[in-house]
Amino acid sequence: METDFTDKDTYQDLFDPEGYLDTYYNPKSGLLVVDGFLDFVLRKLHDAFCRRGVKGKTLIDIGHGPTIYQDLSACESFDEIIGADYTDVNRKYYERSLRNEPGTFNWDAVIQKVCDMEGKGMSVEEKKKKLENTVKKTLKCDVLQKNPLEPLVLPKVDCVMSIGCLECACSDLDTYRNVLKNVSTLLKIGGYIIISEILNCSSYLSGGKRFSCLVLTEEFMRSAIAETGFEIVDLEVIYRKYDKDQYEICNHDSSLFVLARKVKDVK
Ligand code: SAH
């Protein structure tokens, strides 16, 4: 299942938010629901923000795509969240989901799960309001640029999070290391980076189109994160059962979550 590198313009031209959400997050058949990724990431995000105390003024969610689940725990620990993604339709879909517009993907069961983990008795409706009020905007961004938010220059933030994006954006491992440096420029020293990726994946199907994925391993991620000026605070990998039909859609064998602290700038 090899495919040529699908660059950011392929995302811009061909990415279908609804097809992606149904294939990967449908509550019954979604590939990332069935393989345990979604529950894993929700648990790790809750752990980072609510138990380990990662908090601050601003968090940037890079490569959010059409999903909002990743911001549900963060909105309890940050005054504001700023979204960032290259693809116009995904930024629009993200905004429409935050406003809870009719016809957008239904995250209610996921929101309920996060409220249950938090144990504060917050209702799904209250959580949606909290999220909508915390995510202030979403910006065009290209992680391949030195300043991913160019031409904007934002004050450095307390946390940068990127879930399932950087391995889509990069054609090779050197580029991935550079992209870590690029996103690090948005972050204060002492601030946190949160990255979650699927591992050993070469391509995935979304909305009838096959997209390339950079093959990442745990060893590479550990060294790339350390080499680009971060100190790992928490790193966990979960494995996935083999299933021929599911692997034909997306062929990762495991998923990784990492929380790391920026200790220095690396040129
Ligand atoms: N966060 C989503 C993943 C979205 S799919 C989830 O958890 O399911 C990957 C996303 O990466 C897409 O929205 C795509 O627009 C974005 N992307 C790809 N190349 C990029 C680049 N160079 N800069 C910023 N975002 C990019």
Side-chain angles (χ1 to χ4, degrees), residues 6-9 11-12 15 20-21 24-25 32 37 61-67 69-70 84-88 90 141-145 148 162-170 204:
T6 41
D7 66 1
K8 55 194 183 206
D9 296 319
Y11 279 86
Q12 174 67 11
F15 196 86
Y20 177 77
L21 287 165
Y24 291 96
Y25 294 104
L32 296 174
F37 172 85
D61 175 7
I62 296 188
H64 49 66
T67 68
Y69 72 86
Q70 68 281 4
D85 198 293
Y86 188 76
T87 303
D88 296 344
N90 284 344
C141 136
D142 178 4
V143 295
L144 300 171
Q145 298 196 84
S162 185
I163 314 252
C165 164
L166 308 183
E167 83 270 53
C168 298
C170 299
Y204 71 100

Side-chain angles (χ1 to χ4, degrees), residues 13 93 104 112 146 152 156 176 193 240 243 249 256 263:
D13 296 341
Y93 199 96
T104 53
Q112 184 64 58
K146 254 218 142 12
L152 295 179
K156 291 187 195 294
Y176 193 97
I193 189 164
R240 175 187 186 204
D243 177 297
I249 300 170
L256 167 139
V263 289

Side-chain angles (χ1 to χ4, degrees), residues 110-230:
V110 171
I111 298 173
Q112 184 64 58
K113 213 175 257 180
V114 173
C115 291
D116 290 346
M117 272 194 290
E118 288 173 1
K120 293 189 288 196
M122 193 183 249
S123 71
V124 168
E125 289 316 309
E126 285 167 338
K127 186 63 146 177
K128 285 182 183 169
K129 268 278 148 250
K130 180 81 188 258
L131 183 67
E132 186 183 0
N133 291 335
T134 308
V135 185
K136 303 297 181 199
K137 56 188 162 197
T138 175
L139 303 170
K140 178 105 186 167
C141 136
D142 178 4
V143 295
L144 300 171
Q145 298 196 84
K146 254 218 142 12
N147 169 14
L149 297 176
E150 204 176 279
L152 295 179
V153 179
L154 294 191
K156 291 187 195 294
V157 300
D158 308 293
C159 187
V160 168
M161 172 169 84
S162 185
I163 314 252
C165 164
L166 308 183
E167 83 270 53
C168 298
C170 299
S171 55
D172 57 70
L173 298 175
D174 282 341
T175 306
Y176 193 97
R177 280 192 204 89
N178 279 329
V179 159
L180 286 180
K181 291 183 204 164
N182 297 346
V183 298
S184 176
T185 64
L186 304 171
L187 191 59
K188 288 178 190 164
I189 290 182
Y192 288 92
I193 189 164
I194 290 177
I195 298 176
S196 186
E197 306 281 31
I198 52 177
L199 299 181
N200 290 306
C201 176
S202 57
S203 75
Y204 71 100
L205 208 54
S206 173
K209 157 94 193 134
R210 193 161 281 286
F211 288 83
S212 65
C213 185
L214 177 62
V215 174
L216 297 172
T217 62
E218 177 181 342
E219 299 70 52
F220 168 79
M221 290 299 289
R222 282 186 183 277
S223 64
I225 288 165
E227 281 162 27
T228 50
F230 298 99

